[in-house]
Amino acid sequence: MIVVMEKSATQAQIEHMIGRVQELGLKAHVIQGTERTVIAAVGDDRGSSKESLASGPGVSEVVPILAPYKVASRELKPDPTQIQVGQFKAGAGVVGVMAGPCSVESEEQIVSSAHAVKKAGATALRGGAFKPRTSPYSFQGMKEEGLKLLALAREETGLAIVTEVMSTEEVDLVAKYSDVLQIGARNMQNYRLLEAVGNSDRAVLLKRGASATIEEFLLAAEYILNEGNPNVMLCERGIRTFETHTRFTLPLATVPYLHRKTHLPVIIDPSHGTGHAYLVPDMSVAAVAAGADGLIIEVHPTPETAASDGYQSLTFPQFDETMARCARVAVAVDKEMCTMH
Amino acid sequence: MIVVMEKSATQAQIEHMIGRVQELGLKAHVIQGTERTVIAAVGDDRGSSKESLASGPGVSEVVPILAPYKVASRELKPDPTQIQVGQFKAGAGVVGVMAGPCSVESEEQIVSSAHAVKKAGATALRGGAFKPRTSPYSFQGMKEEGLKLLALAREETGLAIVTEVMSTEEVDLVAKYSDVLQIGARNMQNYRLLEAVGNSDRAVLLKRGASATIEEFLLAAEYILNEGNPNVMLCERGIRTFETHTRFTLPLATVPYLHRKTHLPVIIDPSHGTGHAYLVPDMSVAAVAAGADGLIIEVHPTPETAASDGYQSLTFPQFDETMARCARVAVAVDKEMCTMH
Amino acid sequence: MIVVMEKSATQAQIEHMIGRVQELGLKAHVIQGTERTVIAAVGDDRGSSKESLASGPGVSEVVPILAPYKVASRELKPDPTQIQVGQFKAGAGVVGVMAGPCSVESEEQIVSSAHAVKKAGATALRGGAFKPRTSPYSFQGMKEEGLKLLALAREETGLAIVTEVMSTEEVDLVAKYSDVLQIGARNMQNYRLLEAVGNSDRAVLLKRGASATIEEFLLAAEYILNEGNPNVMLCERGIRTFETHTRFTLPLATVPYLHRKTHLPVIIDPSHGTGHAYLVPDMSVAAVAAGADGLIIEVHPTPETAASDGYQSLTFPQFDETMARCARVAVAVDKEMCTMH
Amino acid sequence: MIVVMEKSATQAQIEHMIGRVQELGLKAHVIQGTERTVIAAVGDDRGSSKESLASGPGVSEVVPILAPYKVASRELKPDPTQIQVGQFKAGAGVVGVMAGPCSVESEEQIVSSAHAVKKAGATALRGGAFKPRTSPYSFQGMKEEGLKLLALAREETGLAIVTEVMSTEEVDLVAKYSDVLQIGARNMQNYRLLEAVGNSDRAVLLKRGASATIEEFLLAAEYILNEGNPNVMLCERGIRTFETHTRFTLPLATVPYLHRKTHLPVIIDPSHGTGHAYLVPDMSVAAVAAGADGLIIEVHPTPETAASDGYQSLTFPQFDETMARCARVAVAVDKEMCTMH
């Protein structure tokens, strides 16, 4: 880290801060600039309460140098991680697609969706049984009954099951019926929940919080990895910005940026990322072109009557067409679409 | 709600949507504009999956008219709510101040802080025992031992205790030792946790999520109120914007806006809201002037060595001075500072 | 527009607002809801000072229904516009690429760049002669001398020239030497400048302001179109958000969204949109996949010594490789790359 | 500046970058960390194209240390600047208020407004004659006729006149009739215009761009100061964020932050900063409490019929009451309200 002193800092203040740096177990290098003095602190400062140094006397600011995450880091593990769950694979050149309705609503709905998305080329089925809803008056999901319907759909199709878990108490139950535990954007910094799924043997799909920086996102992954669960997929689902014509703003540059910083696979959610069904096909194709390792797409038999998120759900024919376009682009960028074997 | 049709919508599409509106139990009024047709849907549409209508044929957009929250609404309860917990009061003309360190670090630290903030005029002590930290490698709090130290500080000073609860399993434990349960910004949409504190008999300090809209904030409060706990304080602690010279951007207009929309008291957190101790005094004073019903301020015996958030913590003398200034401004805006009796 | 009244609005207030709507030359339809009354105002309200109605007595809010732009609208002109300038074409299925250095620095630099980008497949050369720089102490461009070098590069290669114009006084001068007048993001709402280029016979590349909504962006285009210049290209170059790992956040969903709302071609600037050369290739490819009608990319012989924006400039070989990848993806999405004939 | 090398950087790359730093006329200090090497570059790097170093081989990032502005800096001029224009004063303990309608609409309107705001305690009259409007179809202002009416209002009341100038061609004309040239938020980075007002002998009110960082804001001021005009007031008028319940988000922390960084006075615009008349009084009072050196407030005889911005304009009685409250708070924070003498 670099401690930048105020222009007016006294020699005593500089010496005081050198002492503080040393108390943290770091080596202090002092650089006398033309206008300011800076103190470079050398050593691994992760875990130290270094930010508090900024309130030291005569300090202008503290600039961190080391990335605060380790296990998620590409420097530690240069090879890309591939996640494999049943027939679903993502990462290291393979693009896996998860698709299905926002909420599980009925056997008919989820099973027909499963068949339709499988036919179009998806290898995992998404569907919410425990639904985090902004309003307490909205549909809250079918809970365990929904999980059972997901398991039934898996039986019928062989698709892997991805579904959200919202609290520590539900982790075992959700893990019993599903293959991939989804941590929703609202829970990205629910640290007890991250620890709980870190102790599960299920793969985890970690969604980026709507205003999380990439560093916070990777540190959330680090909570899971740190508990011993290496099977983490990072999902960009759009960030909150001043834009209102889309539900969120979907920054696809997250894909190549994360590929540079981490070995974990990167999944794109164009449904939440745009919030409008008519934008989903083009953004799905663009995500594959940007190098995404997977997609998670909302698909519903009749979006107009969906219990949640209908406006951003594709119909079966729209999903079919989207998958065909993704497959063509995958070839053009030397990627392989994951398929059922 | 208003369903706005595309300019190119056919009569059949318009009729289809009228039918859909009626299926939701609402009355449809059709208005033929010069360029577009709009369908006004009359009736209480809270709880219906009205958003999915946006994917109906020929629909351009769906514009909600009713606020989605009820119990939190000022329309329902025009008189401001005052929260009283031991010696602490906030709302309906009274400004209550909670202050103390970010984390409980030791008996000496928390008890000396309690005495100092009480002397300066605070009537509640804040201090974290369970700490949500961005990095798994950072100090995670003293947990139950920290709670015991808070209770000890209460015994010595009579201050009410405010401390964060991070998961449903900890609610009872935290409630045992404290007076006000704080829901942190990262957990504002952790709905299970909101329900759990909604079932507690402790007052709740609900912090606004860093990218939550006011509507989402009030709906999070609604989750708590809806479970039967009426003692909710809303805390604005800054939102995430493009600004980097402050940790978050503190929008004080939240105060008069919330006062118009809800009867619940509004607390300002200038410490997280700015992230720099040198900005906290002026923003505390400004918050009182804007009409805030309370403040929550980080204070530490020696910020430079704090285990967390030192850079935004006031020293005891700085807090003293800040309280004196707040008291003068409170008089000027016809507010009363809450004091120990 | 819809005038939403407060729940507590009196009959007299409602009648007052009906009168106000009629004074604007609009027809008022009153809809009595279960909780509120809304007044739908029918007629073309563009140009009326309708926003001020929001301060009428008993008014809760005013919701616009009609898009405020006309000439740019796809409803007015359903067919996509193709811009053709010399050898450069963009729109209606053709993807045109403009490339070159941020600033013109010397004859050697600009001419070698022109040859390199032409060889790789670009049909227009970009290069700044008048440079808008955040700091008055930064390099401000070669001005007219730079324009002459651009014209020289055109002579040698046949590439169309795209360069920025910063003020009304410079429009004629810049038009004299170039083919496409660029309006930079900082000047997107410099209305006098928009009017001036609207009166020029050169095509215009209008960059989106860093915090402009899409509606404001289209209204800026409308200023130009409204003066009689139909040759406007819209350029998404990234928006300002809380993200700091990229210079701006590049929302590719702008492409399909704009294609739905306007007939004008949409160009993507992945250089400013990301701010890091290593992110530019993947985002270029993704932009083509998303349906962009063109790209504008910074390319420099030796980025490390560039007078401006070196960190986001591709080298010649990097640009070569990027163009090859774009060409493959263009085929996969049924687009045609514009080439020299 | 600090050049942070990649973990994998080779010795040759480090040496190459040392050479590059030296070529910029800076001294290079190499610090060998446990994980990375950093090169501290010592010397005044303002004006050098240092950012391009980030594209050097093996470079991870370049961290600037020196603030890029000089003349605006508090380090250069520790005493606060007070601006005095006729009867209007702002800065160094004095709070000056500018008020009046968004647009000049008629003699009756502007003269009655002038009398009303003077009576309430304002010492400057605002009013737009050249109006930057988002839509080309909106009212564009009365232009020179409006300026003449402003001058007439000055004659009748003695108030200083503040009005916007939108382009370089209009600077002389606007200066002829007014006392303070306002640069609107949309033109904050219109550098030719900044230079033009920098060469005027009128004071300048520089509004912060809706997505400008504080550094960009101070550099815009630097453009003006650098041309020799020292009379610059900085106006915070709200930034664009994800919030939609207010027109912009008004970050009052800008006040104490700017006071730390610059000697220039800081004016708050609560009208644009909130966009709702009912939020303006509380935010005006809060701005004074936060230490603002002045306010600029929209006031209109009949907001409901205003040609622009009616929804955020105070009526005369509302402004009266707001000024009375501001005066009480000014006393409480040891400030003096500027009054006519």
Side-chain angles (χ1 to χ4, degrees):
Chain A
M1 116 196 78
I2 308 283
V3 180
V4 182
M5 302 299 293
E6 295 282 359
K7 197 176 173 174
S8 58
T10 63
Q11 193 51 36
Q13 290 173 330
I14 294 166
E15 272 157 29
H16 174 85
M17 292 314 298
I18 293 170
R20 297 283 302 115
V21 163
Q22 291 166 341
E23 280 166 47
L24 294 176
L26 306 170
K27 240 172 109 173
H29 287 255
V30 179
I31 301 147
Q32 187 65 49
T34 41
E35 298 190 14
R36 290 162 186 279
T37 296
V38 308
I39 304 168
V42 170
D44 186 347
D45 55 18
R46 291 184 192 92
S48 74
S49 57
K50 60 179 181 292
E51 298 90 351
S52 293
L53 288 188
S55 61
V59 176
S60 171
E61 60 176 330
V62 173
V63 181
I65 298 294
L66 296 184
Y69 46 84
K70 285 182 198 170
V71 191
S73 151
R74 189 129 202 171
E75 289 181 350
L76 190 96
K77 175 175 181 300
D79 292 330
T81 292
Q82 188 180 75
I83 303 291
Q84 176 157 10
V85 179
Q87 306 263 343
F88 176 84
K89 276 198 284 192
V94 179
V95 180
V97 179
M98 307 172 234
C102 177
S103 299
V104 180
E105 296 168 15
S106 70
E107 180 178 332
E108 156 73 19
Q109 177 240 23
I110 195 68
V111 172
S112 68
S113 295
H115 283 293
V117 303
K118 179 184 179 180
K119 189 166 146 281
T123 56
L125 175 69
R126 64 149 289 153
F130 292 93
K131 295 299 305 171
R133 300 305 300 277
T134 304
S135 164
Y137 309 123
S138 299
F139 175 61
Q140 304 277 323
M142 292 181 74
K143 313 216 160 120
E144 186 166 2
E145 200 191 341
L147 295 175
K148 286 178 182 167
L149 294 177
L150 286 167
L152 175 69
R154 173 173 49 194
E155 236 167 85
E156 296 223 1
T157 57
L159 294 168
I161 299 298
V162 188
T163 196
E164 179 159 356
V165 56
M166 285 174 62
S167 86
T168 49
E169 294 99 322
E170 297 157 2
V171 171
D172 287 344
L173 183 69
V174 175
K176 184 174 150 197
Y177 293 103
S178 68
D179 304 291
V180 180
L181 303 176
Q182 177 181 315
I183 302 291
R186 297 173 176 91
N187 279 317
M188 192 203 85
Q189 293 188 314
N190 180 339
Y191 299 118
R192 291 296 168 272
L193 184 57
L194 298 179
E195 288 162 0
V197 300
N199 284 302
S200 161
D201 59 358
R202 296 292 178 223
V204 177
L205 181 74
L206 177 66
K207 290 196 147 191
R208 180 181 181 185
S211 63
T213 63
I214 294 291
E215 199 168 288
E216 290 166 348
F217 190 19
L218 287 171
L219 282 166
E222 194 90 357
Y223 264 93
I224 303 169
L225 298 167
N226 208 33
E227 296 292 324
N229 187 341
N231 294 313
V232 177
M233 292 178 272
L234 300 171
C235 179
E236 170 63 82
R237 42 76 76 201
I239 58 172
R240 188 152 266 177
T241 73
F242 68 85
E243 293 200 306
T244 53
H245 68 288
T246 44
R247 187 176 179 192
F248 293 97
T249 293
L250 184 61
L252 290 182
T254 304
V255 177
Y257 185 79
L258 279 175
H259 281 165
R260 195 177 168 98
K261 295 293 173 185
T262 182
H263 51 88
L264 299 171
V266 183
I267 310 298
I268 292 293
D269 175 350
S271 306
H272 289 84
T274 64
H276 296 291
Y278 66 86
L279 298 172
V280 170
D282 285 340
M283 292 309 281
S284 300
V285 172
V288 172
D293 301 298
L295 298 171
I296 180 164
I297 298 179
E298 290 189 343
V299 177
H300 194 282
T302 53
E304 193 188 340
T305 63
S308 55
D309 280 5
Y311 49 86
Q312 69 190 29
S313 298
L314 298 185
T315 59
F316 296 164
Q318 287 168 342
F319 181 63
D320 250 8
E321 159 90 10
T322 300
M323 288 297 285
R325 293 177 59 201
C326 285
R328 291 180 64 191
V329 169
V331 170
V333 296
D334 297 321
K335 290 286 194 99
E336 182 194 333
M337 295 296 284
C338 172
T339 51
M340 304 291 279
H341 40 260
Chain B
M1 111 198 82
I2 308 284
V3 180
V4 182
M5 303 300 292
E6 295 282 358
K7 197 176 174 173
S8 58
T10 62
Q11 192 53 33
Q13 289 173 330
I14 293 167
E15 272 157 31
H16 174 85
M17 293 313 298
I18 293 170
R20 296 285 303 116
V21 164
Q22 290 167 342
E23 280 167 47
L24 294 176
L26 306 171
K27 240 171 110 175
H29 287 254
V30 179
I31 300 147
Q32 186 67 47
T34 41
E35 298 191 13
R36 290 161 186 278
T37 296
V38 309
I39 304 167
V42 171
D44 185 347
D45 56 15
R46 292 182 192 93
S48 74
S49 58
K50 60 180 180 292
E51 299 89 352
S52 293
L53 290 188
S55 61
V59 176
S60 172
E61 60 175 330
V62 172
V63 180
I65 298 294
L66 297 184
Y69 45 86
K70 285 184 200 171
V71 192
S73 153
R74 188 126 203 175
E75 290 181 349
L76 190 95
K77 177 176 182 298
D79 292 331
T81 292
Q82 187 180 75
I83 304 289
Q84 176 157 10
V85 179
Q87 306 264 342
F88 176 84
K89 275 197 286 190
V94 178
V95 180
V97 179
M98 309 171 232
C102 178
S103 300
V104 180
E105 296 168 13
S106 70
E107 179 178 331
E108 156 72 17
Q109 177 240 23
I110 194 67
V111 172
S112 69
S113 295
H115 283 294
V117 303
K118 179 184 178 180
K119 187 164 148 283
T123 56
L125 175 70
R126 64 148 289 152
F130 292 92
K131 296 299 306 169
R133 301 305 300 277
T134 304
S135 164
Y137 308 123
S138 298
F139 174 61
Q140 304 277 324
M142 293 180 75
K143 311 214 162 123
E144 187 167 1
E145 201 190 340
L147 293 175
K148 287 179 182 166
L149 294 177
L150 286 168
L152 175 69
R154 174 173 48 192
E155 237 169 85
E156 296 224 1
T157 59
L159 294 169
I161 298 299
V162 189
T163 196
E164 179 159 357
V165 56
M166 284 173 64
S167 86
T168 49
E169 294 97 322
E170 296 157 4
V171 172
D172 288 344
L173 183 69
V174 175
K176 183 175 151 195
Y177 293 103
S178 68
D179 304 292
V180 180
L181 303 176
Q182 177 181 314
I183 302 292
R186 295 173 176 92
N187 278 318
M188 191 202 84
Q189 293 189 312
N190 181 339
Y191 299 119
R192 291 295 169 272
L193 184 58
L194 297 180
E195 288 162 358
V197 300
N199 284 302
S200 160
D201 59 357
R202 296 290 179 227
V204 177
L205 181 74
L206 176 66
K207 292 196 148 192
R208 181 182 181 185
S211 64
T213 63
I214 293 292
E215 198 167 289
E216 291 167 346
F217 190 17
L218 286 171
L219 282 167
E222 194 90 356
Y223 263 94
I224 302 170
L225 298 168
N226 208 33
E227 296 291 325
N229 187 340
N231 295 311
V232 176
M233 292 179 272
L234 300 170
C235 180
E236 170 63 82
R237 41 75 78 200
I239 57 171
R240 189 152 265 178
T241 73
F242 68 84
E243 292 202 306
T244 54
H245 69 286
T246 43
R247 186 177 179 193
F248 293 97
T249 293
L250 184 60
L252 289 183
T254 305
V255 178
Y257 185 80
L258 279 175
H259 281 165
R260 193 176 170 96
K261 295 291 175 187
T262 183
H263 52 88
L264 299 172
V266 182
I267 310 297
I268 292 293
D269 175 350
S271 305
H272 289 83
T274 64
H276 295 292
Y278 65 86
L279 298 173
V280 171
D282 284 341
M283 291 309 279
S284 299
V285 172
V288 172
D293 301 298
L295 298 170
I296 181 163
I297 298 178
E298 290 190 343
V299 177
H300 194 282
T302 53
E304 193 188 341
T305 63
S308 55
D309 281 5
Y311 48 85
Q312 68 190 29
S313 299
L314 298 185
T315 60
F316 296 164
Q318 287 167 341
F319 181 64
D320 249 7
E321 159 89 11
T322 299
M323 287 297 284
R325 292 177 59 202
C326 285
R328 291 181 63 192
V329 169
V331 170
V333 296
D334 297 322
K335 290 286 193 101
E336 183 194 332
M337 295 296 283
C338 171
T339 51
M340 304 292 277
H341 39 260
Chain C
M1 113 198 81
I2 308 282
V3 179
V4 182
M5 303 299 293
E6 295 282 358
K7 197 177 174 175
S8 58
T10 63
Q11 191 53 33
Q13 290 173 330
I14 293 166
E15 273 157 30
H16 174 86
M17 293 313 297
I18 293 170
R20 297 284 304 115
V21 163
Q22 291 167 341
E23 279 167 47
L24 295 175
L26 305 171
K27 241 171 110 174
H29 287 255
V30 180
I31 300 147
Q32 187 66 48
T34 42
E35 298 191 13
R36 290 160 187 279
T37 296
V38 308
I39 304 167
V42 171
D44 186 346
D45 56 16
R46 292 183 191 93
S48 74
S49 58
K50 59 178 181 293
E51 299 89 351
S52 293
L53 289 189
S55 61
V59 176
S60 172
E61 59 175 331
V62 173
V63 181
I65 298 294
L66 297 184
Y69 46 86
K70 285 182 200 172
V71 192
S73 153
R74 190 126 202 176
E75 290 182 349
L76 191 95
K77 176 177 182 298
D79 292 331
T81 291
Q82 186 179 76
I83 304 290
Q84 174 156 12
V85 179
Q87 306 264 343
F88 176 84
K89 275 196 286 190
V94 179
V95 180
V97 179
M98 308 171 232
C102 178
S103 299
V104 180
E105 296 168 13
S106 70
E107 179 177 334
E108 156 73 18
Q109 177 241 22
I110 194 67
V111 172
S112 69
S113 295
H115 283 293
V117 304
K118 179 185 179 181
K119 189 168 147 282
T123 56
L125 175 68
R126 63 149 291 154
F130 293 92
K131 295 299 305 169
R133 301 305 300 277
T134 304
S135 165
Y137 308 122
S138 298
F139 175 62
Q140 304 277 324
M142 292 181 74
K143 312 216 160 122
E144 187 166 2
E145 200 190 342
L147 294 174
K148 287 178 182 166
L149 295 177
L150 285 167
L152 175 68
R154 174 173 50 192
E155 237 168 83
E156 297 223 0
T157 58
L159 294 169
I161 298 299
V162 188
T163 195
E164 178 158 357
V165 57
M166 284 174 63
S167 86
T168 49
E169 294 98 323
E170 295 157 4
V171 170
D172 287 345
L173 183 68
V174 175
K176 184 174 151 195
Y177 293 104
S178 68
D179 304 292
V180 180
L181 304 176
Q182 177 180 314
I183 302 291
R186 295 172 176 92
N187 279 319
M188 191 202 84
Q189 294 189 313
N190 181 339
Y191 300 118
R192 291 295 168 273
L193 184 57
L194 297 179
E195 287 162 359
V197 300
N199 284 301
S200 161
D201 59 357
R202 295 291 179 227
V204 177
L205 181 74
L206 176 66
K207 292 196 148 192
R208 180 182 182 185
S211 63
T213 63
I214 293 291
E215 198 167 288
E216 290 167 346
F217 190 19
L218 286 171
L219 282 167
E222 194 89 358
Y223 263 94
I224 301 170
L225 298 168
N226 208 32
E227 297 292 323
N229 187 340
N231 294 312
V232 177
M233 292 179 272
L234 301 170
C235 179
E236 170 63 82
R237 40 76 76 199
I239 58 171
R240 188 152 266 177
T241 72
F242 68 84
E243 291 201 305
T244 54
H245 69 286
T246 44
R247 187 176 179 193
F248 292 97
T249 292
L250 184 60
L252 290 182
T254 304
V255 178
Y257 185 81
L258 280 175
H259 280 165
R260 193 176 169 98
K261 297 291 175 187
T262 182
H263 52 88
L264 300 171
V266 183
I267 309 298
I268 292 292
D269 175 349
S271 306
H272 289 84
T274 63
H276 296 291
Y278 65 86
L279 298 173
V280 170
D282 284 340
M283 291 309 280
S284 300
V285 172
V288 172
D293 302 299
L295 298 170
I296 180 163
I297 299 179
E298 289 190 343
V299 177
H300 195 281
T302 53
E304 193 188 342
T305 64
S308 55
D309 281 5
Y311 48 86
Q312 68 190 31
S313 299
L314 298 185
T315 60
F316 296 163
Q318 287 167 343
F319 180 64
D320 249 8
E321 159 89 10
T322 300
M323 287 298 284
R325 292 177 60 201
C326 286
R328 289 181 65 192
V329 169
V331 170
V333 296
D334 297 322
K335 291 286 195 99
E336 182 195 332
M337 295 296 284
C338 171
T339 51
M340 304 292 277
H341 40 258
Chain D
M1 116 197 78
I2 308 283
V3 180
V4 182
M5 303 300 292
E6 295 282 358
K7 196 175 175 175
S8 58
T10 62
Q11 193 52 34
Q13 290 173 330
I14 293 167
E15 272 157 29
H16 174 85
M17 291 314 298
I18 293 170
R20 296 284 303 115
V21 164
Q22 290 165 343
E23 279 166 47
L24 294 176
L26 305 170
K27 241 172 110 173
H29 289 255
V30 180
I31 301 147
Q32 186 67 48
T34 40
E35 298 191 13
R36 289 162 186 279
T37 296
V38 308
I39 304 168
V42 171
D44 185 348
D45 55 17
R46 290 183 193 93
S48 74
S49 58
K50 59 180 181 293
E51 298 91 350
S52 293
L53 289 187
S55 61
V59 176
S60 171
E61 60 175 330
V62 172
V63 181
I65 298 294
L66 296 184
Y69 46 86
K70 285 183 198 170
V71 191
S73 152
R74 189 128 203 173
E75 289 181 350
L76 190 96
K77 177 176 181 299
D79 292 331
T81 292
Q82 187 180 74
I83 303 290
Q84 175 156 12
V85 179
Q87 305 264 341
F88 176 84
K89 275 197 285 190
V94 179
V95 179
V97 178
M98 307 172 234
C102 178
S103 299
V104 181
E105 296 167 15
S106 70
E107 180 179 331
E108 157 72 18
Q109 177 240 22
I110 194 68
V111 172
S112 68
S113 296
H115 283 293
V117 304
K118 180 185 179 180
K119 189 166 146 281
T123 56
L125 175 69
R126 63 150 289 153
F130 292 92
K131 296 299 306 170
R133 300 306 300 277
T134 305
S135 165
Y137 308 123
S138 298
F139 175 62
Q140 305 277 322
M142 293 181 74
K143 312 213 162 123
E144 186 166 3
E145 201 191 341
L147 294 175
K148 286 179 182 167
L149 294 177
L150 285 168
L152 175 69
R154 173 173 50 194
E155 237 169 83
E156 296 223 1
T157 58
L159 294 169
I161 299 299
V162 189
T163 196
E164 178 158 357
V165 57
M166 284 174 63
S167 87
T168 49
E169 295 98 321
E170 297 157 3
V171 170
D172 288 344
L173 183 68
V174 175
K176 184 175 150 195
Y177 293 102
S178 69
D179 304 291
V180 179
L181 304 176
Q182 177 182 315
I183 302 291
R186 296 174 177 90
N187 278 319
M188 192 203 84
Q189 294 189 312
N190 181 338
Y191 300 118
R192 290 296 168 272
L193 184 57
L194 297 179
E195 287 162 0
V197 301
N199 284 301
S200 161
D201 59 358
R202 296 292 179 224
V204 178
L205 181 74
L206 177 66
K207 291 196 148 191
R208 180 181 182 186
S211 63
T213 63
I214 293 291
E215 198 166 290
E216 289 166 349
F217 190 19
L218 287 171
L219 282 167
E222 194 90 357
Y223 263 93
I224 302 169
L225 298 167
N226 208 33
E227 296 292 325
N229 187 342
N231 294 312
V232 178
M233 292 179 272
L234 300 171
C235 179
E236 170 64 80
R237 42 75 76 200
I239 58 172
R240 191 152 263 177
T241 72
F242 67 84
E243 292 200 307
T244 53
H245 68 287
T246 44
R247 188 176 178 192
F248 293 97
T249 293
L250 184 60
L252 290 182
T254 304
V255 178
Y257 185 80
L258 279 175
H259 280 166
R260 193 175 169 99
K261 295 292 174 185
T262 182
H263 51 88
L264 299 172
V266 182
I267 310 297
I268 292 293
D269 175 349
S271 306
H272 288 84
T274 64
H276 296 291
Y278 65 87
L279 298 172
V280 170
D282 285 340
M283 292 309 280
S284 299
V285 173
V288 173
D293 301 300
L295 298 170
I296 182 164
I297 298 179
E298 289 189 344
V299 177
H300 194 282
T302 52
E304 193 187 341
T305 63
S308 56
D309 280 6
Y311 49 85
Q312 69 190 30
S313 298
L314 298 185
T315 60
F316 296 164
Q318 287 168 342
F319 182 63
D320 250 8
E321 159 90 11
T322 300
M323 288 297 285
R325 292 176 60 200
C326 286
R328 291 180 65 191
V329 168
V331 170
V333 297
D334 297 322
K335 290 288 193 100
E336 182 193 333
M337 294 297 284
C338 171
T339 51
M340 304 292 278
H341 40 260

